[in-house]
Amino acid sequence: MSIRTDRSVDVVVVGGGPAGSTVATIVAMQGHRVLLLEKEKFPRYQIGESLLPSTVHGICRLIGAEDAIEQAGFTVKRGGTFRWGASAEPWTFSFGISPKFPAGAATAYQVERMKFDQILLDNARRRGVEVREECGVHDVVEADGRVVGVRYTDDAGAEHEVRAVHVVDASGHTSRLRNRVGTRHYSEFFRNLALFGYFTGGKRLPPPNEGNILAAAFDAGWFWYIPLGPDLTSVGAVLRPDALDRVRGDREQALLDLIAQCPLVADYLSDAERVRSGPYGEVRVRKDYSYLQDRFWRPGLVSVGDAACFIDPVFSSGVHLATYSAMMAARSVNTALRDPAVEPEAFAEFEARYRAEYARFHDFLVAFYDMNQDEKSYFWSAKRVTGSAAPELESFVELVGGATWREELLVTAGGGAGTEVSAVRQLADIVDQPVQRPGEDRDLLQASLARSVLKEGTRLQVQATLGGNQDELVPMRDGGLVPSPDGMHWVRPG
């Protein structure tokens, strides 16, 4: 079969989800020629419906999509409600408890990803991105050790080759290009699996928390309960490895059996019916839940979003990490297109920042999972997971410190083993405080781990709201770069 050679462009983006649309838009906004190739026809189904404020009011505002998202009528989310920890009653955290959030920006949305992703892809088109759907990329083109383009098959089955200065892999966890960058390592701690479906007629939390995600721990793991609209709810069980045999066979019955084991979720679904037709009619399974590439970039090719890494979703980090990494990568692409000599520096900045953001969520989630079991049990689990010959406490320290991943950048700067253990205990004390009434607010910002998770997202919102780089004048690391005033490039500080 002959291969058609397309005209060359500045950037090819592989994948049209939130990461792909975001990076393509930001690069196109700088006047560069961007081609986005998406293997499916939108709208298409995708999991990951719960957003964080920094995505909505930060990155979506920067790319000019915030108004369209607001007009879509998505469910407003003011925080999260948890049946987690020692208390038998649900408790709540709200984004608005942070004084750092700009006025009116302390909320997010629960979204149907088919609609949300379509909004971002259409926004990319309006910003000058050439979008080709039903075009599956199957390999890269290399020359002299650099990626210089991709090969893809269009909707008619014709083979194409297109050349580009930069290729961005935003094709998600099933990426066919990830091995062209590095090697994927799966988490030994978050070896979870999700079993999920959709229901109509489920109950809602009392106001003002009716739009919150509800997360409820139970013996086999935890449930998410996401109100996507007045009548539609996404319900999923995240299971630990020792419970994975429960999902073999009839998936629907397995999900119903698990719901029956979680009284809170069972009560909320007592009058509900599972959706049985359309894109929400299938009970689905997602495996290989948490992983990390050992490299995010090589000359000519950069991995963003789920193509680079993914972490357990108990705090709705998926779309945030995807769009955040896309913005960082777009800055690097814009900088390198303007001055090819600084390409290594620019992409090193992207990789360092994305790893640091991933590490914040990783450390916080390791700590948060400790809330559902006593301390000694958790330390023992850490020893078992790591296979360490060290005592239980030392094994735990190795795990939360990132030593078991052999990933130096998973250890946050300035931290140490004692700091991590202290931070876990601090978070546990906050979560385990007695609840006076169901849904009572928790101030998780008292915990250093929670503050670290919110820090970067808050910075993005402030920049988008006020315009320009307001507070990031000092580089994140020695010799590092900082964002330009418009947030579109990297520049040297000073």
Side-chain angles (χ1 to χ4, degrees):
M1 180 181 294
S2 61
I3 298 178
R4 303 178 185 178
T5 301
D6 298 352
R7 60 184 176 83
S8 298
V9 295
D10 295 315
V11 180
V12 169
V13 177
V14 183
S21 293
T22 298
V23 69
T25 300
I26 294 174
V27 174
M29 288 169 68
Q30 294 298 292
H32 302 301
R33 298 166 299 162
V34 182
L35 171 64
L36 186 152
L37 301 172
E38 165 56 47
K39 68 178 179 180
E40 299 187 51
K41 177 69 176 175
F42 275 39
R44 55 86 175 95
Y45 171 81
Q46 185 59 268
I47 191 176
E49 301 101 341
S50 198
L51 305 185
L52 296 181
S54 58
T55 299
V56 176
H57 305 293
I59 293 172
C60 289
R61 177 174 289 189
L62 285 173
I63 64 175
E66 187 182 30
D67 288 346
I69 292 168
E70 182 179 355
Q71 294 165 10
F74 295 126
T75 298
V76 176
K77 166 188 173 183
R78 67 181 292 273
T81 298
F82 290 80
R83 205 328 297 163
W84 204 281
S87 175
E89 296 293 341
W91 52 270
T92 294
F93 79 91
S94 60
F95 301 123
I97 206 164
S98 170
K100 295 183 179 180
F101 282 118
T107 57
Y109 295 111
Q110 315 286 13
V111 300
E112 293 183 64
R113 284 286 303 277
M114 289 187 294
K115 298 177 181 178
F116 176 75
D117 292 9
Q118 184 75 67
I119 289 171
L120 295 191
L121 191 63
D122 289 344
N123 181 68
R125 286 189 175 98
R126 286 193 299 271
R127 298 288 175 170
V129 177
E130 180 183 353
V131 176
R132 299 181 190 173
E133 298 179 67
E134 297 181 281
C135 291
V137 174
H138 51 80
D139 206 352
V140 299
V141 180
E142 297 188 53
D144 299 322
R146 182 183 180 90
V147 172
V148 296
V150 299
R151 294 188 179 94
Y152 70 95
T153 304
D154 67 19
D155 57 347
E159 296 284 329
H160 295 254
E161 181 177 298
V162 58
R163 295 297 180 104
V165 183
H166 297 278
V167 174
V168 180
D169 181 13
S171 57
H173 74 283
T174 59
S175 167
R176 300 178 67 176
L177 305 183
R178 68 177 191 267
N179 293 331
R180 295 294 193 177
V181 179
T183 302
R184 179 175 290 183
H185 299 279
Y186 290 93
S187 169
E188 286 298 319
F189 179 69
F190 294 111
R191 292 185 300 132
N192 296 337
L193 172 150
L195 178 70
F196 56 99
Y198 296 81
F199 292 78
T200 57
K203 296 179 183 178
R204 295 292 179 258
L205 290 160
N209 299 322
E210 64 270 26
N212 280 10
I213 183 173
L214 172 64
F218 71 118
D219 288 345
W222 64 275
F223 266 98
W224 75 68
Y225 187 96
I226 302 175
L228 297 179
D231 195 48
L232 181 65
T233 307
S234 171
V235 180
V238 178
L239 306 174
R240 295 192 298 268
D242 56 5
L244 299 188
D245 58 347
R246 301 188 186 192
V247 305
R248 295 188 176 93
D250 187 331
R251 290 182 180 178
E252 178 178 21
Q253 190 57 52
L255 180 59
L256 295 176
D257 289 346
L258 290 165
I259 289 170
Q261 296 170 36
C262 184
L264 181 59
V265 172
D267 175 61
Y268 271 68
L269 293 174
S270 58
D271 297 322
E273 294 184 3
R274 190 177 73 79
V275 178
R276 298 181 180 278
S277 61
Y280 298 131
E282 180 183 347
V283 176
R284 303 172 186 263
V285 172
R286 171 79 183 267
K287 300 178 182 178
D288 300 331
Y289 229 48
S290 298
Y291 53 82
L292 182 70
Q293 289 276 126
D294 58 2
R295 295 173 62 192
F296 292 173
W297 172 78
R298 57 170 288 197
L301 177 61
V302 59
S303 298
V304 300
D306 293 359
C309 57
F310 188 80
I311 191 69
D312 185 280
V314 69
F315 270 93
S316 309
S317 58
V319 176
H320 163 72
L321 288 173
T323 54
Y324 173 82
S325 66
M327 185 179 70
M328 299 292 120
R331 288 175 179 170
S332 300
V333 169
N334 287 337
T335 303
L337 286 173
R338 185 170 61 184
D339 182 1
V342 301
E343 178 179 305
E345 280 185 86
F347 283 99
E349 191 66 35
F350 151 75
E351 181 152 348
R353 286 174 180 263
Y354 193 19
R355 287 188 183 279
E357 186 72 351
Y358 180 91
R360 280 188 278 266
F361 277 93
H362 174 274
D363 291 351
F364 181 72
L365 290 171
V366 168
F368 197 74
Y369 263 76
D370 183 41
M371 303 307 103
N372 200 36
Q373 53 188 313
D374 67 44
E375 188 177 79
K376 290 183 179 179
S377 174
Y378 183 79
F379 290 161
W380 180 87
S381 296
K383 179 179 175 66
R384 176 176 55 81
V385 164
T386 61
S388 173
E392 285 84 352
L393 177 58
E394 291 180 27
S395 300
F396 166 76
V397 169
E398 291 175 6
L399 182 64
V400 299
T404 58
W405 288 65
R406 294 180 174 84
E407 277 290 340
E408 293 181 2
L409 284 171
L410 280 178
V411 182
T412 52
T419 303
E420 296 291 353
V421 174
S422 175
V424 171
R425 288 171 175 156
Q426 181 188 42
L427 182 61
D429 288 343
I430 295 169
V431 171
D432 287 341
Q433 292 170 5
V435 174
Q436 301 301 317
R437 64 185 188 281
E440 179 183 345
D441 274 7
R442 282 273 186 270
D443 183 3
L444 293 186
L445 293 181
Q446 297 176 54
S448 59
L449 282 171
R451 289 196 301 272
S452 71
V453 165
L454 282 178
K455 180 179 179 181
E456 190 65 18
T458 304
R459 191 201 310 273
L460 293 176
Q461 289 183 246
V462 171
Q463 180 172 346
T465 302
L466 301 180
N469 173 26
Q470 300 294 320
D471 64 345
E472 201 174 350
L473 303 178
V474 178
M476 186 189 78
R477 58 201 175 93
D478 290 343
L481 305 175
V482 298
S484 60
D486 63 2
M488 298 291 177
H489 298 81
W490 297 117
V491 296
R492 291 189 174 87

